[in-house]
Structures are given as structure tokens and as C-alpha cells.
Amino acid sequence: MMQIRGVNVSNAVTEDLLLFKQIQLGNPKAVDVLFKKYYHSLCRFGILYESNIHIIEEKASDVFMILWKEKHKLHTIKNPKSYIYVILKNNLRKPCKNHKIRPILHEDQFENQNLYPSIEDEIIANEQLEINKHIIRTILNEIPKRTRQIFEMSRIDGFKYKEISELLDIAPKTVENHIGLALKYISKGLITYK
């Protein structure tokens, strides 16, 4: 933990605050770093508010243009990650005009394939990865959508319960209940599929 202005903050928050400072100073590379760090998790989060992946991708990209455009305001932000997610949430809640209907793609497109040094290793790893993905997808498909998304925000995106409750306008206890329910489904599913 580090201290900034007398407040303890994690290294991730410190890094993001430093990137916000760089954006304020006019460094476009800081926007690129934030984009690489948060774009895919923003797209996954956007599924809570929009089912068309193309709209989600566009709005997630817009978040970083907004950061650049409004860089003079960034010095007031204490939690950059939450701020970025709130921008996306607000943009997705606005009615979309002039969007053509496109086919809806699944969130699987955001998963990155691991790279392995040899073809044999890649084949073995991909087979195991497919088996694991299938089991996990099967388990996650049994979890109610809202519970699954809250679980992913917590376990994949690293949000704290309080941050999730603020982003989704629900009580922290509700977040805790969703996480508990998801863990029960996963535990039960893993026992079933072994």
C-alpha cells in the first residue's frame, strides 16, 4: 500500500492515478496503457447494459476518447477504475441513435488464447484448455445472468464488493449474496463434472 495525499491506496490504483496524471499532462501513451489494461473487461461489463457487442465495443472505445477530451477534470478523480466503468455505464444507458442492428456475438470473443513455444505443447494445452472451458462454460451457464456478471466483476475484473454495489446501484449485501450463490453453483458443478 502507498499513501497519496494521506490516503492508503493499492498499487493498481496508484498506477492508474499516475496514468491519469500523465493524461492531464497531454501524454497519449497513458491512454493507450489504460486502453490495453481495461478495454476487454469494460466490454464484459457492458453486457450488463447492452446485448449488441458492436455497440459495447464502440462505447468502450469512447471511454478513452472521453478521458482524453476531459483530461482537465481527471485531477479530481480518486478511483480511476471505477470512474472508467461509470463512464461506460452512463454511455450505455443513453439511448443509441443511428446504430444498425448487427448480429450479437458472445462474450467468448474476449478470451485471449495463450501462446506456447512448440506446436506439440500448443496442441496439448489447447485440448486441455477446451476441456476446461467447456466445463466452466457449462457451470457458468447454470448461474443466473446477473449473478454470473457480478461474479465476473469480482473474480475476473477485481472489483471489491463496495465498488460493484456502487456501479450497479445495489446493496453490498446483495453483491455478497450473488457471489455466494455463484460459488455454490461452481462448487456443485465441479463435483458433478469430475
Side-chain angles (χ1 to χ4, degrees):
M1 287 278 194
M2 294 184 74
Q3 278 205 348
I4 294 181
R5 296 184 195 158
V7 177
N8 288 332
V9 291
S10 71
N11 288 337
V13 173
T14 303
E15 180 183 312
D16 291 347
L17 286 170
L18 292 173
L19 288 169
F20 268 34
K21 182 70 174 168
Q22 287 297 308
I23 293 170
Q24 282 179 267
L25 296 172
N27 183 351
K29 290 181 182 179
V31 177
D32 291 340
V33 171
L34 282 171
F35 180 88
K36 289 174 183 165
K37 184 174 181 179
Y38 288 115
Y39 177 75
H40 290 292
S41 59
L42 280 173
C43 290
R44 203 172 35 254
F45 172 72
I47 293 170
L48 286 168
Y49 301 98
E50 172 62 51
S51 59
N52 186 322
I53 196 65
H54 296 289
I55 293 172
I56 294 169
E57 289 173 339
E58 183 179 325
K59 296 291 186 176
S61 294
D62 289 348
V63 167
F64 302 97
M65 289 189 291
I66 291 168
L67 287 178
W68 183 255
K69 190 174 167 183
E70 298 184 2
K71 59 187 168 215
H72 62 282
K73 297 178 184 178
L74 298 182
H75 69 281
T76 63
I77 306 305
K78 303 287 186 251
N79 189 334
K81 182 177 180 181
S82 292
Y83 181 71
I84 289 169
Y85 277 74
V86 169
I87 291 172
L88 179 64
K89 177 175 91 168
N90 291 341
N91 284 346
L92 286 171
R93 284 183 165 177
K94 292 178 187 173
C96 294
K97 296 179 182 176
N98 302 325
H99 284 288
K100 295 179 181 175
I101 303 295
R102 298 177 188 157
I104 296 172
L105 302 176
H106 297 284
E107 51 194 272
D108 293 344
Q109 78 178 49
F110 301 117
E111 294 178 13
N112 294 323
Q113 296 292 326
N114 291 327
L115 301 175
Y116 296 91
S118 72
I119 293 173
E120 294 83 13
D121 287 344
E122 186 174 340
I123 291 169
I124 293 166
N126 282 337
E127 285 175 4
Q128 186 59 48
L129 188 62
E130 286 306 311
I131 292 167
N132 291 343
K133 279 184 184 180
H134 177 71
I135 291 170
I136 292 169
R137 263 192 227 112
T138 303
I139 293 169
L140 289 177
N141 285 336
E142 295 173 7
I143 297 174
K145 183 179 178 182
R146 183 79 162 176
T147 300
R148 175 183 176 176
Q149 289 168 330
I150 290 171
F151 179 80
E152 288 176 348
M153 287 177 72
S154 172
R155 296 305 196 263
I156 296 172
D157 299 329
F159 280 105
K160 295 177 182 160
Y161 289 9
K162 183 179 177 190
E163 293 172 325
I164 296 170
S165 72
E166 290 171 0
L167 284 168
L168 301 180
D169 297 323
I170 58 177
K173 187 67 176 169
T174 304
V175 174
E176 188 178 322
N177 291 340
H178 279 289
I179 300 294
L181 180 62
L183 291 172
K184 284 180 186 175
Y185 274 101
I186 291 169
S187 297
K188 181 182 172 187
L190 286 174
I191 291 167
T192 304
Y193 291 107
K194 282 192 174 187

